[in-house]
Amino acid sequence: MKKAPVNRIIPFSNVDGPGNRTSIFFQGCTFHCLFCHNPETMTCCRSCGICLSYCPVKALRKKDGKIVWDSEACVQCDTCLKVCPHFSSPRVTWMTVEDVLNQIRRAMPYIDGITTSGGDCTLYPSFLAELFTAVKQQGKTCLIDANGAYDFASDPALMDVCDGVMLDVKAVEPSWHRELVSFDVEPVLRNLDYLLSVGKLQEVRTVILPNRDRENSETVQFVSQRIGGRCPYKIIRYRPFGVRPEYRRIMGEEETDPVYAESFVLLAREKGASEAFMV
Ligand code: SF4
Ligand code: SF4
């Protein structure tokens, strides 16, 4: 039976798409963003065992070469995440679609739908298609929060059951995009156009970095001219909280000034993104 690594499930969220939603975070990502706030979701655990001795309550052990996490014993101190040198977490559960449905069953009467996120949930497209098919049968909507690496146009089965994609466009200049996230920008921009063309672009998001006037402007202008008023454009302030110390040295220790970020909301609206807003 198909399984995917689930990092956590938040039963009720009002920041992962419209209405009240259950958010499901998958483990693993195609990007390696310098400003990632959840770096422990980037890769799947390789069972190196380094974190085991650091757990203060012995909630981690190794069995048959794999890490076993005792969720009952865990006190959520996050020590294992901080000491993992591989941008991973031992607190991940490989779940079937049925397992996920069982976990979200109690929330179902109270939510508008689900949002899958990560990491990058599109590493598991056939799992998503199966999960969405089951959730839609219950009259709920299914959204994907994506980094844009996956070729959505190549997967009509997934698009048939996906109500929309919330897409990150972190940069548009190719070399800066690669430096920032270790991945090419072309697939992201192809997805931007494709999702617009099929009416499934739910939202675009861009993080505004401090002291990066040219890069911020290029990205905001490009996206705004592309999307116009067809979907919301979320302008996000960079915040160093959660970013790994080695990357804070590159990205800066200060969060983006709200007045500075607001100037990019105004730029976005001036360039056509009438639904631009800041968080
Ligand atoms: S978060 Fe849980 S598993 Fe990780 S070190 Fe702390 S108690 Fe142990
Ligand atoms: S979570 Fe990280 S440190 Fe712990 S066993 Fe997995 S890869 Fe190793």
Side-chain angles (χ1 to χ4, degrees), residues 105-176:
R105 187 155 289 139
R106 283 172 63 192
M108 211 50 113
Y110 310 105
I111 59 172
D112 298 287
I114 66 166
T115 299
T116 56
S117 184
D120 185 34
C121 61
T122 61
L123 282 172
Y124 314 101
S126 57
F127 186 97
L128 296 187
E130 206 176 309
L131 175 66
F132 287 3
T133 302
V135 169
K136 286 183 77 65
Q137 279 167 1
Q138 300 183 46
K140 308 294 178 183
T141 57
C142 298
L143 300 177
I144 293 176
D145 176 346
N147 64 12
Y150 186 62
D151 182 10
F152 287 105
S154 71
D155 195 342
L158 177 60
M159 294 318 292
D160 272 355
V161 286
C162 167
D163 293 289
V165 176
M166 295 180 286
L167 184 72
D168 286 347
V169 180
K170 297 171 201 282
V172 291
E173 202 279 310
S175 60
W176 173 233

Side-chain angles (χ1 to χ4, degrees), residues 4-161:
V6 175
N7 180 290
R8 65 187 184 281
I9 296 176
I10 297 177
F12 302 111
S13 165
N14 57 12
V15 294
D16 294 307
N20 193 15
R21 313 192 71 78
T22 293
S23 297
I24 303 156
F25 294 82
F26 289 80
Q27 186 74 12
C29 191
T30 35
F31 284 13
H32 191 109
C33 300
L34 297 182
F35 53 59
C36 183
H37 286 90
N38 303 304
E40 74 280 2
T41 63
M42 282 185 192
T43 68
C44 287
C45 175
R46 58 189 74 179
S47 303
C48 71
I50 289 173
C51 60
L52 298 190
S53 63
Y54 289 90
C55 178
V57 293
K58 306 217 175 324
L60 300 171
R61 66 192 164 90
K62 213 169 192 178
K63 190 178 173 216
D64 301 330
K66 297 276 178 212
I67 302 300
V68 179
W69 169 54
D70 182 346
S71 60
E72 299 285 314
C74 175
V75 292
Q76 306 286 332
C77 68
D78 288 353
T79 304
C80 49
L81 311 186
K82 288 177 191 143
V83 300
C84 175
H86 304 297
F87 299 90
S88 190
S89 167
R91 291 159 28 191
V92 168
T93 311
W94 283 82
M95 300 175 91
T96 62
V97 168
E98 200 53 40
D99 292 334
V100 175
L101 292 171
N102 282 336
Q103 283 246 342
I104 68 178
R105 187 155 289 139
R106 283 172 63 192
M108 211 50 113
Y110 310 105
I111 59 172
D112 298 287
I114 66 166
T115 299
T116 56
S117 184
D120 185 34
C121 61
T122 61
L123 282 172
Y124 314 101
S126 57
F127 186 97
L128 296 187
E130 206 176 309
L131 175 66
F132 287 3
T133 302
V135 169
K136 286 183 77 65
Q137 279 167 1
Q138 300 183 46
K140 308 294 178 183
T141 57
C142 298
L143 300 177
I144 293 176
D145 176 346
N147 64 12
Y150 186 62
D151 182 10
F152 287 105
S154 71
D155 195 342
L158 177 60
M159 294 318 292
D160 272 355
V161 286

